[in-house]
Amino acid sequence: MQRYFISDNNWTKEQVHIDGEDRHHIVNVMRMTSGDKIICCNVDGSSYLVEITEITDDKVTGALVEALDEKQEMPVKVTIVQGLPKGDKLELIVQKGTELGMFAFIPVQMDRSIVKWDSKKESKKLSRLRKISKEAAEQSHRSKLPLIHEKHTLKEVLSENTYDHLFVASELEAKAPSEDGSFAEALKQISPGDNLLVVIGPEGGLSNDEISFLTSNQFKSIRLGPRILRTETAPLYVLSAISFYFEEWR
Amino acid sequence: MQRYFISDNNWTKEQVHIDGEDRHHIVNVMRMTSGDKIICCNVDGSSYLVEITEITDDKVTGALVEALDEKQEMPVKVTIVQGLPKGDKLELIVQKGTELGMFAFIPVQMDRSIVKWDSKKESKKLSRLRKISKEAAEQSHRSKLPLIHEKHTLKEVLSENTYDHLFVASELEAKAPSEDGSFAEALKQISPGDNLLVVIGPEGGLSNDEISFLTSNQFKSIRLGPRILRTETAPLYVLSAISFYFEEWR
């Protein structure tokens, strides 16, 4: 069934109002009419079976038929902190990360990021990333949209630190594994409901300054298998492994 | 250190000869000279530290300095059978699959594949995919190149069946999980050295005929978490989870 994420102020106790691109999609793409059913998700993560009751030029109105008890959200909240990569890799990471259950995403201009975002470019990029994430969330049947944050510095990420576990994906661990770098051991320390932060460097990896900063702030290096993963592959490995461990294994 | 995959007939007991694009890369891109060191991998999976001894217009000759004991290959051999997807998704799957340790790749024209490969298109596509895979194998420090097979039908895949375990990624399991569909339980049955085959449908999923054919041939449905993954995301989840389980967990 078609799924739409509707912002919080479009809901009443018994109805939901759908406007803008979602209205267009329902009316012109899906060609739905009164009586058709859809799923609507609120930003708070609740989702409802909705029956369309009225279609006007402005909006689609639907009646809340039933609150759904969905289980598509990861039991742990994974925030990916990604050093800005080249080209359209960020779009790939956000799309796949959304499918794979990512809770939030923070782009960081790192020392070795070749791409630079000025404020004009940033606002354009962010609205594109949020659109990609929304579409991926609808397609993958999520009930919650990932938060796509504005560009941060690493220091800003840490100053807003509300995380239970801090990890950094390490190329060094892949090349010369240490006992400390076990991703499996790291996951064993995590309980459902915990907040995780995972930092991933850009193409050239993290700089020595960045590594020092993270390790002095109690980040734990983790190994993502013995091969060297590209910057855009690392977050997909992290999220797949966490999904496997918390959603399939336990 | 720079890494090259060199075909079997270019090796002698003490030397390796490098020609074609790899010679060009060493001489013109990396601007290496006699005395410089590289890693050369044979198709059989062995790899050597090599010192360049001579550069001519035809080839680079290197002396085998030392056999390397590398551990970048997955302990289980995972073959991905992929229903032909649209656009350049196949390139993404082959590139990321190579980084994530895929042993072999078989493209299949499935009932719901929209793309059609004629024989001219196929040979062009395959050589492009093999080039992408070789580059990804070099970058990710693998010691073995994945086998990129020609287009098969599902029946042909089964007739060459030398696999210990047969899996099919199932969208149905994500929507309504069954006890049987546990990917974790499936992995527990696998031992290092085993051969696994994983079938993944194209954008529209597998047809009912294909599902019947696979289940009547003892394929086991597996669930890749509770979200619906796109066709190109499913193989990356499979390979990441297998890497995590066999290379990080055990």
Side-chain angles (χ1 to χ4, degrees):
Chain A
M1 196 174 295
Q2 201 64 35
R3 173 178 297 260
Y4 300 93
F5 287 87
I6 309 299
S7 56
D8 198 38
N9 46 18
N10 284 25
W11 296 75
T12 66
K13 212 177 155 189
E14 292 174 351
Q15 286 187 322
V16 60
H17 300 287
I18 307 164
D19 49 23
E21 288 189 14
D22 290 328
R23 179 201 161 281
H24 169 74
H25 192 267
I26 290 171
V27 178
N28 303 118
V29 181
M30 301 300 291
R31 297 180 177 280
M32 291 188 188
T33 54
S34 288
D36 283 338
K37 292 206 174 67
I38 55 178
I39 293 172
C40 292
C41 305
N42 196 334
V43 283
D44 64 7
S46 62
S47 51
Y48 289 83
L49 181 66
V50 167
E51 183 178 329
I52 295 173
T53 53
E54 193 187 9
I55 297 177
T56 68
D57 288 350
D58 282 348
K59 63 183 180 191
V60 169
T61 302
L64 309 191
V65 176
E66 184 190 351
L68 300 174
D69 179 27
E70 298 191 314
K71 304 245 182 289
Q72 288 97 301
E73 293 302 311
M74 280 252 232
V76 295
K77 293 178 179 169
V78 184
T79 296
I80 299 288
V81 172
Q82 177 78 44
L84 286 186
K86 289 190 281 188
D88 54 5
K89 288 178 185 173
L90 215 52
E91 299 183 2
L92 178 79
I93 296 167
V94 165
Q95 185 188 69
K96 301 296 161 229
T98 300
E99 291 174 61
L100 294 167
M102 172 174 78
F103 176 74
F105 182 79
I106 308 177
V108 171
Q109 184 104 48
M110 291 191 186
D111 292 346
R112 294 187 184 153
S113 291
I114 289 164
V115 173
K116 308 284 176 209
W117 280 8
D118 55 29
S119 58
K120 194 178 158 196
K121 191 167 183 179
E122 179 178 352
S123 90
K124 208 173 149 190
K125 283 271 180 190
L126 286 176
S127 68
R128 172 130 181 88
L129 292 177
R130 285 174 184 144
K131 186 162 187 272
I132 287 171
S133 178
K134 184 165 181 277
E135 285 170 3
E138 286 165 0
Q139 278 216 343
S140 59
H141 295 199
R142 288 191 60 170
S143 39
K144 207 159 168 32
L145 276 183
L147 304 165
I148 311 293
H149 289 282
E150 290 170 16
K151 191 179 72 175
H152 281 52
T153 64
L154 271 186
K155 284 205 177 91
E156 286 165 347
V157 171
L158 264 283
S159 70
E160 298 163 8
N161 180 358
T162 53
Y163 304 97
D164 304 301
H165 307 275
L166 302 168
F167 299 122
V168 50
S170 172
E171 185 177 305
L172 301 175
E173 288 293 338
K175 288 178 179 162
S178 71
E179 280 293 312
D180 285 351
S182 166
F183 189 25
E185 290 305 315
L187 288 193
K188 284 180 197 168
Q189 312 304 320
I190 296 169
S191 308
D194 283 1
N195 272 284
L196 281 65
L197 188 75
V198 185
V199 172
I200 291 157
E203 280 89 356
L206 297 158
S207 69
N208 290 338
D209 284 355
E210 287 165 341
I211 294 174
S212 306
F213 176 73
L214 294 174
T215 46
S216 70
N217 279 284
Q218 277 73 51
F219 274 72
K220 192 177 150 34
S221 291
I222 51 170
R223 183 179 106 130
L224 310 176
R227 291 164 296 281
I228 308 294
L229 302 181
R230 290 179 203 216
T231 179
E232 73 275 20
T233 316
L236 314 187
Y237 185 111
V238 167
L239 290 161
S240 299
I242 292 176
S243 163
F244 175 73
Y245 181 70
F246 283 99
E247 299 183 310
E248 296 300 318
W249 181 265
R250 288 158 55 109
Chain B
M1 196 174 295
Q2 201 63 35
R3 173 178 297 259
Y4 300 93
F5 286 87
I6 309 298
S7 57
D8 200 38
N9 45 19
N10 284 25
W11 297 75
T12 66
K13 212 178 155 188
E14 292 174 348
Q15 285 186 325
V16 59
H17 300 287
I18 307 164
D19 50 24
E21 288 189 15
D22 290 327
R23 179 201 161 279
H24 168 74
H25 192 267
I26 290 171
V27 177
N28 302 118
V29 180
M30 301 299 292
R31 298 182 178 277
M32 290 188 188
T33 54
S34 289
D36 284 338
K37 293 204 174 68
I38 55 178
I39 292 172
C40 291
C41 305
N42 197 336
V43 284
D44 64 7
S46 62
S47 51
Y48 290 84
L49 181 66
V50 168
E51 183 178 328
I52 295 172
T53 53
E54 193 186 8
I55 296 176
T56 69
D57 288 349
D58 282 348
K59 65 183 178 190
V60 169
T61 302
L64 309 191
V65 177
E66 185 190 351
L68 300 174
D69 179 27
E70 297 191 314
K71 304 245 183 290
Q72 287 97 303
E73 293 303 311
M74 280 251 234
V76 296
K77 294 177 180 170
V78 184
T79 296
I80 299 288
V81 172
Q82 177 78 43
L84 285 186
K86 289 191 281 187
D88 53 7
K89 288 178 184 173
L90 215 52
E91 299 184 1
L92 179 78
I93 296 167
V94 165
Q95 184 190 69
K96 301 294 160 233
T98 301
E99 291 173 60
L100 294 167
M102 171 173 80
F103 177 74
F105 183 79
I106 309 177
V108 171
Q109 184 104 48
M110 291 192 185
D111 292 346
R112 294 188 183 153
S113 292
I114 290 164
V115 173
K116 308 284 177 211
W117 280 7
D118 56 29
S119 58
K120 194 179 158 195
K121 190 167 184 178
E122 179 177 352
S123 90
K124 208 172 148 189
K125 284 270 180 191
L126 285 177
S127 67
R128 172 129 180 89
L129 292 177
R130 285 175 185 143
K131 187 164 186 272
I132 286 170
S133 178
K134 186 166 179 277
E135 285 170 2
E138 288 166 357
Q139 278 216 343
S140 59
H141 296 197
R142 288 192 60 170
S143 40
K144 207 160 168 30
L145 275 183
L147 303 165
I148 311 292
H149 290 281
E150 290 169 16
K151 191 179 71 175
H152 281 52
T153 63
L154 271 186
K155 284 208 176 88
E156 286 166 347
V157 171
L158 265 284
S159 70
E160 298 164 8
N161 180 357
T162 54
Y163 304 97
D164 304 302
H165 308 273
L166 302 168
F167 299 122
V168 51
S170 171
E171 185 177 306
L172 301 175
E173 288 293 339
K175 287 177 179 163
S178 70
E179 280 293 311
D180 285 350
S182 165
F183 189 25
E185 289 306 315
L187 288 193
K188 286 181 196 167
Q189 313 302 319
I190 296 169
S191 308
D194 283 1
N195 272 283
L196 281 65
L197 189 74
V198 185
V199 172
I200 292 156
E203 279 89 357
L206 297 158
S207 69
N208 290 337
D209 284 357
E210 287 166 340
I211 293 173
S212 306
F213 176 73
L214 294 174
T215 46
S216 70
N217 279 285
Q218 278 71 54
F219 274 73
K220 191 177 151 32
S221 291
I222 51 170
R223 182 179 108 130
L224 310 176
R227 290 163 297 281
I228 308 295
L229 303 181
R230 289 179 203 216
T231 178
E232 73 275 19
T233 315
L236 314 187
Y237 185 111
V238 167
L239 290 162
S240 298
I242 292 175
S243 163
F244 174 73
Y245 182 68
F246 283 99
E247 299 184 309
E248 297 299 320
W249 181 263
R250 286 158 55 108

